Amino acid sequence: MELHFEDLALTIRAGRLDVPFGLSDEALFLTIRSHLIELLSSSTEIFCFGMAPDNTADGQDELLQDGVFYRIIGYEKNLGIDLENSAEEILSAFHYLVENFVPRWSTIFVEEGKAKKQITIELLYQEVF
């Protein structure tokens, strides 16, 4: 029997964050962790929540947003939430994940169109807890 877990992704704006380019996965996570936890602790607006997207908007302005974003991807099973939960429950679940666990990897995606530039700091949690 094969186990199957759904990936859920939360995307929020990072605000005026100075993006720490050039760091290893672990150093990137440690550098942004407190800022991300602070955002998840407040009434941060959820930019997007749902199944984990791919990063294929490069060069397509209509698919990009200007700015810096955090995207956290985790298993639905570990988060204890689904697509029907409230914004507060979603933020709380991802807050718990970031505060208590180290992601499998952390990376920065830069996608640019002719008029827009989107920077996404992505954290991937795919371990089964």
Side-chain angles (χ1 to χ4, degrees):
M1 180 176 160
E2 182 179 323
L3 295 177
H4 180 72
F5 301 102
E6 295 295 330
D7 286 331
L8 293 178
L10 171 68
T11 305
I12 59 173
R13 291 188 183 275
R16 297 179 182 253
L17 176 73
D18 288 329
V19 180
F21 290 104
L23 299 177
S24 68
D25 284 11
E26 183 179 353
L28 174 60
F29 174 66
L30 294 174
T31 301
I32 57 97
R33 183 176 183 218
S34 63
H35 181 249
L36 180 54
I37 288 172
E38 180 181 318
L39 288 175
L40 293 169
S41 299
S42 64
S43 27
T44 298
E45 180 183 342
I46 293 175
F47 181 76
C48 185
F49 174 68
M51 304 312 284
D54 59 4
N55 294 298
T56 58
D58 207 26
Q60 302 177 59
D61 277 337
E62 66 277 5
L63 299 177
L64 296 173
Q65 296 289 322
D66 273 322
V68 180
F69 297 84
Y70 287 117
R71 180 180 301 127
I72 311 156
I73 301 172
Y75 284 141
E76 181 178 7
K77 175 188 185 318
N78 291 343
L79 292 163
I81 58 171
D82 59 30
L83 298 175
E84 305 302 317
N85 283 89
S86 71
E88 293 79 21
E89 292 166 326
I90 293 165
L91 292 171
S92 178
F94 280 94
H95 175 272
Y96 181 82
L97 189 66
V98 173
E99 189 170 57
N100 293 290
F101 299 96
V102 175
R104 182 174 181 191
W105 57 260
S106 308
T107 194
I108 300 172
F109 291 102
V110 178
E111 298 178 284
E112 294 184 71
K114 290 183 182 187
K116 296 179 183 175
K117 181 176 182 179
Q118 179 174 323
I119 300 171
T120 305
I121 301 170
E122 187 168 280
L123 308 175
L124 178 68
Y125 291 86
Q126 286 195 315
E127 293 80 19
V128 179
F129 308 133

